[in-house]
Amino acid sequence: MKKKRNSIIAIVLALTFIGEVYLSYISSNATNTVIKKLSGSDRYATTVELSKKQFSSSSVACIVNGSALPDGLTITPLATYYKAPILLSQSNSLPQSTKDELKRLKVTKVFIGGSNDVVSENVVKELKTLGVQEVIRLGGADRYGRSYASELR
């Protein structure tokens, strides 16, 4: 019992120390930090606002369903590799804000994260009408199969 109590005390002290160091770091850098809120009327428009802030143009974009959080997470390394924005679609269509952003960026290549059930072929057709020349779908049977690292091009 005493050994267990000592272990708990050691853990609490270690966590307290780590917390102190973290808080000290934050407070020492707080004077140089500027926090700016970016938002849109919905999640689709918010990703467009993030894209506008980061990209003046991009020939590549990544698109995932706005309701499929795992796909958004797993496509992030690919977007980082290509220095490309992640934009959201609905299952069967692109929101107007996403279409407008794809045009503004002059995107010619799109990676779609997710299967046809998540982002339909209708979205692919819409992308083609916007001038996107190459659409690459990255997907699998489930979220484990949609690990895109092995498909990085």
Side-chain angles (χ1 to χ4, degrees):
M1 183 70 167
K2 188 174 183 178
K3 187 174 183 180
K4 186 176 180 180
R5 190 181 99 186
N6 287 342
S7 294
I8 291 172
I9 291 172
I11 291 170
V12 169
L13 289 173
L15 290 174
T16 302
F17 175 74
I18 291 169
E20 292 283 331
V21 170
Y22 180 71
L23 289 174
S24 173
Y25 173 78
I26 289 174
S27 62
S28 69
N29 291 317
T31 57
N32 299 329
T33 303
V34 175
I35 298 173
K36 186 170 185 175
K37 180 179 178 181
L38 294 175
S39 64
S41 58
D42 56 22
R43 69 183 76 183
Y44 307 99
T46 299
T47 60
V48 167
E49 291 304 315
L50 290 167
S51 174
K52 287 178 180 177
K53 182 73 175 159
Q54 294 294 317
F55 301 96
S56 58
S57 67
S58 178
S59 61
V60 178
C62 297
I63 293 189
V64 295
N65 184 310
S67 299
L69 179 63
D71 292 340
L73 293 172
T74 55
I75 207 162
T76 299
L78 183 70
T80 302
Y81 177 80
Y82 279 99
K83 295 178 180 59
I86 299 173
L87 300 170
L88 302 179
S89 79
Q90 296 163 331
S91 294
N92 293 311
S93 65
L94 289 170
Q96 189 60 48
S97 59
T98 300
K99 290 179 187 179
D100 293 343
E101 184 63 0
L102 290 166
K103 287 187 228 174
R104 183 189 75 81
L105 292 169
K106 298 179 177 73
V107 172
T108 58
K109 180 178 187 175
V110 169
F111 289 97
I112 295 178
S115 66
N116 289 344
D117 295 337
V118 181
V119 179
S120 75
E121 280 300 311
N122 190 52
V123 171
V124 175
K125 290 176 187 172
E126 286 185 88
L127 290 168
K128 296 286 186 175
T129 63
L130 294 171
V132 174
Q133 299 165 5
E134 186 177 8
V135 178
I136 301 168
R137 183 180 298 277
L138 304 171
D142 56 23
R143 68 180 62 171
Y144 305 106
R146 289 190 288 269
S147 176
Y148 306 129
S150 64
E151 298 186 56
L152 188 64
R153 297 170 194 230

